[in-house]
Amino acid sequence: MLSNSACTKSRFKKEDAATSKKRLHLVFAAGAFFASALSGQAADLGQTPAPLPDTIETVSPWEFELGAYAFVPLSVQGSSTVDGGTVDLDLGPQEIFDLFQFALSGRFEGWRDMGRNNGSAFGFVLDGQYVNLGLNPKNVGPRGNGEVDVDVQQGIVDMLIGYRFPTIGRSGTHGSLSFDVTAGARYNFLRQKIDVTPGLPAPFTANLGGDKHWLEPVVGARAIFHATPKWDFVLRGDLAGFGVGGDDLTWSVTGVAAWEAWDNTTLRLGYRIYDMDYSSGTGANEFAFDATEHGPFLGISRRF
């Protein structure tokens, strides 16, 4: 028979063997788990990651618009003063078309996005207008060989910076409203010249009037109602002069219906009222133009 000491040693040997066997199983199990995890990571690293959801719109930081337009006055009411002599103006469509020589107008503006899809932006506007009216009757004077040359020209260039407020309503959908304000400088050129050659020697020949140039402040505002994806209705106005450079006040109001006839190309049809009150000099040197013009507004523009 085994002694008690021998039995105890035998039991300890069996328990040590069992414990070692359990530890060995745990080691293999842990090794298998980590091997599986590492192989899964290696497989993931070897694959192209799934794309992120497309939740952010890609937009250009600037949007530009270039256009040409024509303002066709059907009525001019007021007065013109050259070298102290004032002539009342009451011109209708027929008289205006008889005087019309040339006109050119264009507008370029750009707006920068100031946040995703909220419509607010800083921007700039360059707007230029030029019109030339003239009259050149011949065979006048006591001998019938005289000539009168009337030359009226007006040019305006606006250089503006602006801010567009966040769109009221969902941007880009029908029923939304955009509103922006502008401020800057306006360059003016005004010519009123009358050359009279009555067919007689000097001093009967007369050269009256001249050219005026001046720079003045201008502010403006515009509201755009997005009626449908293709139709916008625009109301725009501005104020200039404020007594600077001889211009007491110049203002205009324009209402336009804009139709996107083709992708990024818009046709515009509207009506404009324009009023100017300018004067310089006194007495025989007075030079002034105080008149209100109104008529249709036509235009085309391209966004890019």
Side-chain angles (χ1 to χ4, degrees), residues 7-40:
C7 289
T8 300
K9 290 181 179 180
S10 176
R11 187 171 64 252
F12 283 152
K13 287 181 179 179
K14 290 180 179 179
E15 289 177 355
D16 291 343
T19 301
S20 297
K21 188 175 181 181
K22 288 180 180 179
R23 289 177 178 173
L24 187 60
H25 281 301
L26 289 174
V27 170
F28 279 119
F33 172 78
F34 285 113
S36 175
L38 289 173
S39 64

Side-chain angles (χ1 to χ4, degrees), residues 27-170:
V27 170
F28 279 119
F33 172 78
F34 285 113
S36 175
L38 289 173
S39 64
Q41 289 182 357
D44 290 340
L45 290 173
Q47 296 176 357
T48 302
L52 294 174
D54 188 14
T55 58
I56 300 177
E57 277 191 37
T58 301
V59 293
S60 171
W62 284 93
E63 183 179 83
F64 301 98
E65 186 168 8
L66 178 63
Y69 64 89
F71 169 46
V72 186
L74 298 181
S75 172
V76 177
Q77 303 285 331
S79 63
S80 172
T81 301
V82 176
D83 287 354
T86 300
V87 176
D88 290 333
L89 300 176
D90 185 8
L91 306 178
Q94 185 60 52
E95 292 87 354
I96 293 172
F97 285 123
D98 287 343
L99 294 171
F100 179 80
Q101 301 289 323
F102 179 75
L104 178 66
S105 303
R107 186 178 180 91
F108 177 61
E109 57 185 290
W111 296 90
R112 181 166 186 149
D113 294 312
M114 293 295 293
R116 183 163 59 89
N117 295 331
N118 69 355
S120 61
F122 286 103
F124 67 87
V125 177
L126 298 176
D127 191 301
Q129 310 170 45
Y130 173 80
V131 62
N132 183 9
L133 304 178
L135 183 65
N136 186 218
K138 301 180 184 297
N139 302 321
V140 298
R143 298 183 181 179
N145 60 346
E147 182 178 342
V148 178
D149 185 10
V150 178
D151 186 14
V152 178
Q153 300 181 35
Q154 185 178 14
I156 297 173
V157 177
D158 287 345
M159 297 158 286
L160 311 172
I161 58 174
Y163 178 75
R164 178 173 294 166
F165 294 91
T167 300
I168 300 174
R170 187 177 177 184

Side-chain angles (χ1 to χ4, degrees), residues 48 220 266 269 283 287:
T48 302
T266 302
L269 175 63
F287 181 100

Side-chain angles (χ1 to χ4, degrees), residues 67-293:
Y69 64 89
F71 169 46
V72 186
L74 298 181
S75 172
V76 177
Q77 303 285 331
S79 63
S80 172
T81 301
V82 176
D83 287 354
T86 300
V87 176
D88 290 333
L89 300 176
D90 185 8
L91 306 178
Q94 185 60 52
E95 292 87 354
I96 293 172
F97 285 123
D98 287 343
L99 294 171
F100 179 80
Q101 301 289 323
F102 179 75
L104 178 66
S105 303
R107 186 178 180 91
F108 177 61
E109 57 185 290
W111 296 90
R112 181 166 186 149
D113 294 312
M114 293 295 293
R116 183 163 59 89
N117 295 331
N118 69 355
S120 61
F122 286 103
F124 67 87
V125 177
L126 298 176
D127 191 301
Q129 310 170 45
Y130 173 80
V131 62
N132 183 9
L133 304 178
L135 183 65
N136 186 218
K138 301 180 184 297
N139 302 321
V140 298
R143 298 183 181 179
N145 60 346
E147 182 178 342
V148 178
D149 185 10
V150 178
D151 186 14
V152 178
Q153 300 181 35
Q154 185 178 14
I156 297 173
V157 177
D158 287 345
M159 297 158 286
L160 311 172
I161 58 174
Y163 178 75
R164 178 173 294 166
F165 294 91
T167 300
I168 300 174
R170 187 177 177 184
S171 180
T173 62
H174 66 278
S176 61
L177 181 66
S178 299
F179 183 75
D180 59 62
V181 292
T182 53
R186 170 176 290 177
Y187 165 77
N188 288 273
F189 164 68
L190 179 61
R191 170 178 290 178
Q192 295 185 118
K193 294 183 69 175
I194 302 174
D195 295 331
V196 181
T197 308
L200 298 174
F204 297 99
T205 298
N207 298 307
L208 308 175
D211 298 342
K212 296 294 180 180
H213 306 260
W214 72 96
L215 198 66
E216 63 188 19
V218 57
V219 295
R222 174 175 57 181
I224 306 174
F225 177 66
H226 307 281
T228 73
K230 292 289 186 180
W231 282 94
D232 291 338
F233 295 95
V234 183
L235 182 63
R236 187 176 78 208
D238 59 56
L239 296 171
F242 307 102
V244 177
D247 187 0
D248 288 340
L249 184 67
T250 295
W251 61 269
S252 72
V253 176
T254 307
V256 175
W259 172 47
E260 188 176 8
W262 306 279
D263 288 343
N264 298 322
T265 301
T266 302
L267 301 179
R268 304 175 190 276
L269 175 63
Y271 202 83
R272 169 177 282 185
I273 303 173
Y274 175 84
D275 182 271
M276 183 178 192
D277 185 4
Y278 173 82
S279 64
S280 67
T282 59
N285 295 319
E286 185 179 4
F287 181 100
F289 184 79
D290 183 4
T292 301
E293 308 170 6

